[in-house]
Structure formats: structure tokens, C-alpha cells
Amino acid sequence: MVHIIDGKAFSDKLCDDLTAEIARLKAEHNFVPCIAVVLVGEDPASHVYVSNKVKRCHQLNIESREHRLDDTTSQAELLALIDELNQDSSVHGILVQLPLPKQIDSKAVINAIAPQKDVDGFHIENAGALAIGDNQIVPCTPLGSIMMLRDYLGNMSGMNAVVVGRSNIVGKPMAHLLLQENCTVTIAHSRTKNIEEVCRNADILVAAVGIPHFVKADWIKPGATVIDVGINRIQDGDRSRLVGDVDTEAAKAVAGAITPVPGGVGPMTIACLMYNTVAAAKMQAGIA
Ligand code: GUN
């Protein structure tokens, strides 16, 4: 019988622990972690993601300051805001929701954020630290995924892990985290030959390509642990619904464990943003 890895329950537990820690910071140090959330333009999915993040902040008593800029904002204007937030010692985390409008170079913006305030973990310094195994701030989706894997599998040493997708946000950092767990790691992508065969070798299979139902049941090794990072909205008759990158219903007959969509990786991503914000805030304030 397949085990369903409950990301919602796991994220609620993590957030409960963080709520207790935030209450302690307030009581013992009169200190409140604060994140600035920057949203540029009108992308509907980004608006939903940002309001979910802000809602979680409220639940945990993390202060959030929203900066909503219109889609004609220039790169110079956005960089000026980042500079202001970098200088503001009452702001501990800065999150710029991606994607950004086409006149703005995302890489320049991400790398303008002070690395210690980069709660997304996308800054080149944080990415480099992860690559050499000297983790500073780790991107939220891979962090949430590795937490669930550690909890379910325990020791992953020597397991074959296959990450499908090579993005800087998920695929690459996920591969580094699995390597740190002493897995034998393969990154598969759009140019990989015989991708089904490569996937069938995985004891741990992470799907992060953004294509609905890309990974089929017969790509999965019997008993494997499957982490489905995809959040894809598809039209189903006259209504739309969210599906992952894995054909979950069919995969359940083969996999040993799988994360559902929704209710798997998604809630963990937001919980890890809260985790990174509290950790960054404590570091900046010099509080243990
Ligand atoms: N857009 C899609 N995922 C993310 C994320 O994790 N962080 C930010 N800042 N933007 C995103």
C-alpha cells in the first residue's frame, strides 16, 4: 500500500514550532522577525502565491510589509527599493516574487538583495554556499522536500536519487541537498536520453519540470519514494484543478510513497519561507 506523504500536516507542525519560537523571541527579546514581499505586475498566479505567503506570516506573527509595484516599473526603480530594504535594519527578509516583467533582469535583482536577507536562497552567494556544502540560506521548495524525505526515509546514504528538471530554483539545489545526504544523484532534463530508464533507476524520484503528468507510472521503480514538485493548473471539463508533474493516481500503484498535489510540497514551500525568515532574523539580530 502506497504511503501518502502529508505535506500539509508536516508544514502545520513546522509552523507550530516556529510560532512557539517567535513567541519566545517576542517575550525574551521584544523582537519580531519581518519580511518585505515585493510583487511587480499583475501575474494572477504570483498574486495568489504572495497572498498565501502573507497570510502565513500573519498566522505566525511574522511582520510582513508588502510592496506592490505596477508592471511598468523600471529595473532602476526596483533596485532602488531593494537598496532601501537592504539598509533597513528592521527588515530581515526580502522576497521578490518571480517572474518579473520583461524589462527587468531577474538575476541582477536577486543578486542585489543582501545575501543574509535573501530568504528565497536564490542569491549567487547562497547558491554557491549550497554547492560547496556550506549551506547558508537554502531555497524553500528543495528545503521542504528534503525535510519530508529525511522524515520519511531517515538515512538516504547510497540511494539512487533522480531529479527531473534543472532549474536554479528547484532542480539544482535539490540535487545538492540529496548529494549532502550521500545519495548517488542524477539530474535528468529535456535533453536526457531514455529518461524513462533513468527514472526507473531511482529509489528517490523528484519531479520538478512544470509539465502536468510528465512522469508516468511505468517510469517509477516499484517501492520508490516520489516527490512531486509540480503545481500545474489544468482544465478538466468546465472546471480547472491543480495537478503535479507525476501521474499520481497511476503512480500510487507502483510507488512506495508519494507527495500529493495539492497538499504535498506546496505547503512545505511556504513553511520553509517562514523558517528561513526566522533563521535570517535571528542571525541578523545575533540571537541564538
Ligand atoms: N516564483 C515561483 N516560485 C517562487 C519562489 O519560490 N520564490 C519567488 N520569489 N518567486 C517564485
Side-chain angles (χ1 to χ4, degrees):
M1 194 54 185
V2 68
H3 175 83
I4 305 296
I5 299 176
D6 188 344
K8 176 72 174 66
F10 200 117
S11 71
D12 285 345
K13 167 79 173 70
L14 180 55
C15 286
D16 284 349
D17 293 348
L18 288 169
T19 302
E21 175 62 0
I22 290 160
R24 183 188 74 83
L25 294 173
K26 176 75 183 158
E28 291 181 12
H29 301 275
N30 196 25
F31 178 77
V32 179
C34 172
I35 181 173
V37 181
V38 182
L39 176 57
V40 188
E42 300 304 329
D43 180 61
S46 291
H47 275 257
V48 173
Y49 289 141
V50 163
S51 59
N52 287 338
K53 289 169 185 177
V54 168
K55 211 184 294 172
R56 254 312 190 194
C57 287
H58 288 160
Q59 286 169 353
L60 269 65
N61 297 320
I62 290 174
E63 184 184 346
S64 63
R65 298 186 195 158
E66 279 181 78
H67 297 264
R68 292 177 183 252
L69 308 176
D70 71 47
D71 59 8
T72 61
T73 301
S74 69
Q75 180 163 323
E77 286 168 320
L78 182 53
L79 289 174
L81 172 61
I82 304 273
D83 189 42
E84 197 182 298
L85 297 170
N86 282 341
Q87 306 294 333
D88 183 344
S89 62
S90 69
V91 170
H92 310 108
I94 302 171
L95 179 140
V96 179
Q97 187 65 27
L98 303 176
L100 289 168
K102 57 184 177 323
Q103 72 275 16
I104 298 175
D105 174 2
S106 304
K107 210 189 280 184
V109 170
I110 288 166
N111 289 328
I113 297 171
Q116 69 274 19
K117 295 191 180 189
D118 165 42
V119 285
D120 261 325
F122 296 163
H123 190 286
I124 196 162
E125 251 183 51
N126 287 317
L130 176 62
I132 64 164
D134 184 15
N135 302 6
Q136 304 291 326
I137 302 179
V138 174
C140 304
T141 300
L143 180 58
S145 300
I146 206 77
M147 282 181 184
M148 288 191 287
L149 284 169
R150 279 196 206 115
D151 181 67
Y152 178 67
L153 290 171
N155 186 356
M156 288 170 253
S157 183
M159 289 187 175
N160 288 333
V162 175
V163 179
V164 188
R166 54 175 157 176
S167 70
N168 292 332
I169 292 180
V170 184
K172 286 177 198 160
M174 189 72 218
H176 286 301
L177 290 172
L178 289 160
L179 195 54
Q180 289 176 14
E181 297 293 330
N182 299 312
C183 290
T184 302
V185 181
T186 305
I187 302 180
H189 49 77
S190 54
R191 308 290 172 88
T192 298
K193 294 200 172 82
N194 298 322
I195 194 164
E196 305 94 305
E197 281 297 307
V198 173
C199 289
R200 268 194 288 272
N201 194 35
D203 303 306
I204 298 166
L205 181 60
V206 180
V209 278
I211 301 172
H213 293 170
F214 181 74
V215 174
K216 313 294 181 224
D218 65 357
W219 298 19
I220 297 170
K221 179 176 176 176
T225 301
V226 179
I227 302 291
D228 189 350
V229 174
I231 303 178
N232 309 294
R233 188 162 286 285
I234 62 160
Q235 204 59 35
D236 190 359
D238 56 2
R239 60 190 198 98
S240 75
R241 65 187 176 102
L242 291 180
V243 299
D245 290 352
V246 179
D247 183 0
T248 314
E249 281 316 305
K252 282 179 183 172
V254 190
I258 191 165
T259 57
V261 177
V265 173
M268 281 304 287
T269 295
I270 296 189
C272 286
L273 177 65
M274 304 296 110
Y275 176 90
N276 281 348
T277 301
V278 172
K282 283 166 68 176
M283 190 79 80
Q284 284 160 55
I287 299 173

